[in-house]
Amino acid sequence: AQTVTQSQPEMSVQEAETVTLSCTYDTSENNYYLFWYKQPPSRQMILVIRQEAYKQQNATENRFSVNFQKAAKSFSLKISDSQLGDTAMYFCAARASGTYKYIFGTGTRLKVLA
Amino acid sequence: DGGITQSPKYLFRKEGQNVTLSCEQNLNHDAMYWYRQDPGQGLRLIYYSQIVNDFQKGDIAEGYSVSREKKESFPLTVTSAQKNPTAFYLCASSIQGESNQPQHFGDGTRLSIL
């Protein structure tokens, strides 16, 4: 069975600084997909970034990038130049190829300080 | 604009009462999902449906029921058998067969007990 673990319940970062959120996963599948979602106080879940496990290159979306270490089963999210609007819960999720189930971690609450 | 609409935003249930949460999508997605979100526990899957007239139990299906009579609609009923229904409920959808595609989420329904 797949599991996703986020070991940092809460984090804070100063505005304009860089922060890294950790995520590890466990799967026996060869092909799978990883996602980071953001849930601001408004509660709507928004996709931040995704990564295909078969791609070695780390995904990047503007200020957001991932450090995907397949052998270590690690999928951390780096937020550069943090902004107040980045304050939110961040969830890591995994989906095995050919399945419909997404497995979510318990989330990391990030607070960006002015 | 395409999206997922959940209603109502807030819902109150009396003891012994069944309540139904609505979820409608106009994204033409085949798969739809219901999650329950409690503080510190991330998202837990209640039910999901890959196709009309078919659905599968998730990890915490007891006390809940669903139907999928139309592609666009996936209502969730919280029955009186669910003894601790107070939570935030999220509906999501995704494209069938495209594992790298993320889920799209509604804005959620907060259910409370009177």
Side-chain angles (χ1 to χ4, degrees):
Chain A
Q2 283 186 266
T3 59
V4 175
T5 302
Q6 293 180 252
S7 59
Q8 304 154 313
E10 293 186 1
M11 296 188 72
S12 62
V13 62
Q14 289 294 136
E15 196 175 7
E17 297 292 310
T18 296
V19 64
T20 299
L21 280 58
S22 300
C23 173
T24 58
Y25 59 92
D26 188 16
T27 180
S28 57
E29 301 292 331
N30 288 327
N31 199 16
Y32 49 91
Y33 303 88
L34 301 166
F35 308 87
W36 276 99
Y37 286 90
K38 169 185 178 180
Q39 188 181 40
S42 64
R43 305 307 295 269
Q44 185 175 27
M45 295 281 282
I46 304 164
L47 177 71
V48 175
I49 200 166
R50 77 184 97 174
Q51 174 83 40
E52 289 89 345
Y54 61 84
K55 288 187 177 179
Q56 293 186 340
Q57 186 173 7
N58 289 327
T60 299
E61 289 286 343
N62 301 314
R63 297 183 295 108
F64 299 88
S65 61
V66 299
N67 183 6
F68 175 49
Q69 301 288 329
K70 191 171 183 178
K73 295 184 177 178
S74 172
F75 181 59
S76 59
L77 174 69
K78 186 173 83 169
I79 306 174
S80 303
D81 187 25
S82 296
Q83 301 175 359
L84 295 177
D86 295 333
T87 293
M89 281 288 286
Y90 287 83
F91 291 97
C92 179
R95 176 182 178 181
S97 178
T99 71
Y100 285 87
K101 290 185 69 174
Y102 295 75
I103 309 300
F104 285 82
T106 52
T108 295
R109 185 178 302 279
L110 176 67
K111 188 170 185 180
V112 179
L113 307 171
Chain B
D1 289 339
I4 298 177
T5 302
Q6 288 187 242
S7 63
K9 190 169 183 177
Y10 300 96
L11 187 59
F12 298 91
R13 195 191 89 169
K14 295 180 181 178
E15 292 288 340
Q17 185 182 43
N18 293 353
V19 292
T20 297
L21 284 60
S22 171
C23 178
E24 303 278 333
Q25 54 101 358
N26 60 3
L27 298 167
N28 200 33
H29 287 173
D30 288 291
M32 296 187 74
Y33 309 75
W34 275 107
Y35 293 94
R36 170 176 171 144
Q37 187 176 17
D38 296 283
Q41 295 196 43
L43 275 66
R44 292 187 290 169
L45 182 64
I46 304 173
Y47 270 98
Y48 66 105
S49 168
Q50 301 173 20
I51 196 170
V52 173
N53 293 322
D54 186 49
F55 47 83
Q56 287 77 41
K57 291 183 178 180
D59 301 317
I60 56 164
E62 186 174 350
Y64 300 96
S65 66
V66 293
S67 63
R68 187 86 186 276
E69 297 177 1
K70 298 186 300 182
K71 186 176 184 178
E72 302 79 19
S73 179
F74 191 42
L76 173 74
T77 297
V78 184
T79 74
S80 57
Q82 173 49 247
K83 298 305 179 186
N84 183 24
T86 297
F88 188 65
Y89 292 86
L90 281 165
C91 179
S93 70
S94 68
I95 297 174
Q96 179 184 12
E98 298 289 338
S99 299
N100 68 337
Q101 293 300 309
Q103 291 180 307
H104 296 252
F105 286 86
D107 289 343
T109 294
R110 181 168 295 282
L111 176 61
S112 302
I113 295 296
L114 283 177

